Amino acid sequence: MSSLSNLLIQFSVGIVPLGVAYLAFRSATDANKKTQQTALLQAERHAELERSKVDADAYVRAKTIYEDALTQMERQVDRLQDQATLLSADLASEQTGSAAMREQIRQFQAQIRALERTVAALRGQLIEAGLSPVSGSETTGPHMIGGPPRPRPAE
């Protein structure tokens, strides 16, 4: 029996290291899993951080582009407003000049009508005096003053 008890003792002594080895293996496996999970979480956090950095950089670039475009648009609006102001001033000046010219034209037309009446009166006086007035083609310009010459009264 001593060999049986020796065998049992040897067997139990052999099983304990196997049990310890098994527990060590399980602990190492669990630790490995946790390490891998931690590494995955860290990798995901790092990737998320990198995405955030890329998004932040893209935001900064987009903001810069937007602000530059806005500044250019504001300058363009200012230039357009300046041009509109100049055009408005030019238009007012042109309208004033146009009104003055219309008034001069009205005055000239009134003077022409007065001169035409004077020419007609003088022509009538010449005809009454028995003189022949100058024909319309012999007047001072290519445009006839007054109307067509009146016929001479019969004597």
Side-chain angles (χ1 to χ4, degrees):
M1 247 213 277
S2 98
S3 88
L4 184 60
S5 65
N6 273 342
L7 191 58
L8 280 175
I9 291 175
Q10 286 179 357
F11 179 70
S12 26
V13 169
I15 277 188
V16 170
L18 283 174
V20 171
Y22 176 75
L23 289 176
F25 172 75
R26 286 290 290 169
S27 295
T29 305
D30 288 345
N32 232 0
K33 283 182 185 176
K34 288 188 182 198
T35 303
Q36 286 177 349
Q37 287 174 348
T38 303
L40 282 173
L41 286 174
Q42 286 177 346
E44 286 176 6
R45 285 186 198 142
H46 182 70
E48 184 63 33
L49 181 63
E50 288 300 316
R51 279 192 296 274
S52 295
K53 285 180 184 178
V54 169
D55 288 347
D57 290 343
Y59 173 78
V60 168
R61 284 191 305 273
K63 182 180 175 189
T64 302
I65 291 169
Y66 172 78
E67 288 173 347
D68 289 345
L70 189 61
T71 300
Q72 289 176 2
M73 289 174 127
E74 287 171 346
R75 285 188 204 137
Q76 191 171 10
V77 166
D78 289 343
R79 283 193 301 267
L80 287 173
Q81 286 175 339
D82 291 346
Q83 288 176 352
T85 301
L86 289 173
L87 285 174
S88 179
D90 288 349
L91 178 62
S93 174
E94 291 294 326
Q95 287 175 337
T96 302
S98 176
M101 284 185 201
R102 278 195 300 275
E103 182 57 32
Q104 283 182 338
I105 288 170
R106 279 193 283 278
Q107 289 174 358
F108 289 149
Q109 288 172 337
Q111 288 175 354
I112 288 171
R113 284 191 299 276
L115 287 172
E116 286 174 345
R117 285 190 301 270
T118 301
V119 167
L122 289 173
R123 189 174 270 146
Q125 289 174 2
L126 283 173
I127 291 172
E128 286 177 13
L131 298 172
S132 170
V134 176
S135 68
S137 62
E138 296 177 12
T139 56
T140 60
H143 304 288
M144 290 183 56
I145 297 177
R150 295 186 205 177
R152 289 175 90 183
E155 293 179 31

